[in-house]
Structures are given as C-alpha cells and as structure tokens.
Amino acid sequence: MTVRRLSAGLVAAALFAPGLAACNADGTPQAGSSATPTTTASGSAPATGVPGDAKQALLDSTREISNGNFRFTMSGGGSTAEGQVHEPSQSAQMKVVLGKPTDDLSMTLDLIHIKPDSWVKLDLGGRTASSVPGVQKLNLGKYQHLDQTRIQGNRNLGFDFDQVDPAGSAVLTQGVTEVRKTGEGAYAGTLDVSKAADAGSVDPAVITALGPQARTVPFTAKLDPQGRLSELVLQIPAAGQSAAQEIRITYSDYGSATPAQQPPAGQVVEAPAEFYNLFR
C-alpha cells in the first residue's frame, strides 16, 4: 500500500503536492466527501460588470502569489492543508491532515523546506495504521531529513521554488470559461479543469473521469481590497468512484509570511527506505 493522490488533489506540485489520500484497508482510495454545489448562473446574484473585465480581474489576482510570500489553506475530499511560503528565505512550511482518526488510515504530515533541505514529520492513525508496511521503521513523530536525490521529481515530497503556488491558481483561472462579477470583489462562473492538470489542485485521474463535465466546473472567487485572490472554491461533480466534493483554497498575509524554521537537531533522523516507499 502506498500513499495516493487525493481525489481533491490537495497539496499541489509546488509544496508537497497535495495530492495524498488516505487508503481503505484494501489499499483503495477513499471517495471524496459529498458537497452541495454552489449557486450557478441560473440562481446567482445579478451579474455586474463586463465579463471580459471580470476574467482579467481574476487573472490579475494571482500575480502576487508568484512573489512567494503568503499563507494558504486548502481543503477537499475530507483532508486539509495549511502553511506558508517565504520565497525571500527560500523556505516553506505546511501541515497536511489526510483523513480522520475514524478512517481505516489517516495521516498527518508536518513539512519543512529550507532550500536545499527538506524534513517531514509523519504521524499515522486509524484502524489499519499498524499494518502499514515497514511501520516500525518509519520513525513516527520525528522529523525525517530527506535525501534530495531520492525525491527529485516527486510531487508528494519535493518542493519547487520556481512554482511556489500550492494550488496552481494561476493555471486554474486561465481555464475560466464563463465568469460574472456578483459583488464587490466577488465572482462566480465555470472553468475548464481539463486544462489545469498541472495546477495540482485537482487529481488528473478525476479530471479524466469527469469527461465533458470537466469543461464546466462551477467556481466562486473572492479578491481582497488590493485585488489579490483571497479565496477560490471549486465544486467538483461526482465522477467515476469519486463523490462530489468541494475544493476550497485561501490565500492571506501577502508580503508578511515568515521564514520556516529548521527542526531541532535532536528531533531529526535520516528518512529510511521504508519512508520513501510509502510515498512512491
């Protein structure tokens, strides 16, 4: 059994590729949580402004993210992630909670990236935690220093400081197919997630399962008074074995995030082979 991408695609390529998911006892991914779709065009507030202007406002709202100095949260499929990116110090930190303690297997990860090093603290919960292969050697509860040569290209454990957005919101907004302004700093519409497989927020397998539905996924967005993206919510329809789910992404503290701190030496061990095998 290995850790798999969330059907919600939580943590993206930039940080930790949030895309891990808790597994059932037989190793299959758990379905995402159901969600009630947000209001669509037929039941939304009266649109205001010019559609072209609305889309440009959304595209412009993601520019500040590329500066890599912000806090963020992500949730979907019963899992959550929160953290911060601090490009000035080439560091990032986040906490990912996958599943609930009542699930067959749940997982909490504390990740710290300070270029060129990475550390991960892993905790397991749930009824089948003790049956995870190599669990006795996983050094649970300690920070595990990662060998960069073993995680190169690994979207689950690596961090790319050239792609600092944990959700790929710039890619998502480029896929907007219809948008209207619903209030001050508020927008709603649809986007084509089939063009956003690289964003990291939506699992490519779910995009494939959506088929034609992938081209018209409902979303809402909020911008802060400075026109920067503060919230993006996607309503992913049920597809294949995945239930309908809501993916919610927020950004805050633009320009005022703090550097990540290296874990105390006494709490650090080198990650064993069993750890890398878990995240293949």
Side-chain angles (χ1 to χ4, degrees):
M1 176 176 62
T2 59
V3 179
R4 304 184 181 187
R5 290 183 61 86
L6 276 174
S7 54
L10 270 193
V11 192
L15 296 188
F16 161 70
L20 300 182
C23 295
N24 290 313
D26 61 359
T28 59
Q30 293 177 345
S33 60
S34 61
T36 302
T38 54
T39 311
T40 57
S42 61
S44 65
T48 60
V50 180
D53 293 342
K55 182 171 182 177
Q56 190 59 51
L58 288 179
L59 294 173
D60 292 344
S61 74
T62 64
R63 290 180 179 175
E64 183 65 23
I65 298 172
S66 65
N67 290 330
N69 194 329
F70 57 86
R71 294 191 60 82
F72 71 92
T73 69
M74 303 175 70
S75 64
S79 299
T80 62
E82 61 179 343
Q84 61 194 41
V85 179
H86 192 258
E87 173 67 21
S89 64
Q90 293 279 277
S91 69
Q93 187 167 2
M94 67 186 304
K95 180 178 182 179
V96 182
V97 179
L98 306 168
K100 305 181 296 294
T102 54
D103 292 337
D104 286 344
L105 178 64
S106 63
M107 190 176 295
T108 299
L109 301 105
D110 288 311
L111 298 107
I112 299 174
H113 301 279
I114 303 176
K115 196 172 183 179
D117 292 295
S118 298
W119 300 264
V120 180
K121 182 167 70 172
L122 169 68
D123 286 297
L124 299 175
R127 295 182 294 274
T128 63
S130 60
S131 64
V132 171
V135 66
Q136 299 87 354
K137 299 181 180 180
L138 288 178
N139 297 311
L140 301 181
K142 289 192 174 184
Y143 283 96
Q144 310 200 45
H145 181 252
L146 302 179
D147 180 348
Q148 296 296 314
T149 64
R150 299 193 67 170
I151 65 172
Q152 187 173 7
N154 187 321
R155 297 184 68 183
N156 293 328
L157 296 176
F159 186 94
D160 186 352
F161 282 98
D162 293 324
Q163 300 180 32
V164 295
D165 184 0
S169 291
V171 176
L172 289 170
T173 56
Q174 288 170 7
V176 168
T177 53
E178 183 271 326
V179 61
R180 57 203 177 278
K181 187 174 182 181
T182 57
E184 189 61 36
Y187 299 85
T190 58
L191 57 82
D192 184 351
V193 296
S194 69
K195 298 178 179 179
D198 291 336
S201 302
V202 186
D203 186 359
V206 172
I207 294 175
T208 299
L210 285 171
Q213 293 185 96
R215 296 194 290 269
T216 56
V217 171
F219 80 91
T220 59
K222 294 180 181 178
L223 278 53
D224 68 12
Q226 288 73 43
R228 303 169 300 195
L229 186 65
S230 60
E231 180 183 82
L232 181 62
V233 180
L234 279 61
Q235 300 292 343
I236 307 296
Q241 296 182 348
S242 298
Q245 58 188 278
E246 176 183 274
I247 299 176
R248 182 179 299 270
I249 305 158
T250 71
Y251 299 92
S252 62
D253 294 347
Y254 284 107
S256 59
T258 56
Q261 300 299 309
Q262 184 171 329
Q267 297 181 24
V268 175
V269 295
E270 289 296 322
E274 289 79 5
F275 182 85
Y276 298 105
N277 292 337
L278 184 64
F279 291 87
R280 286 181 302 178

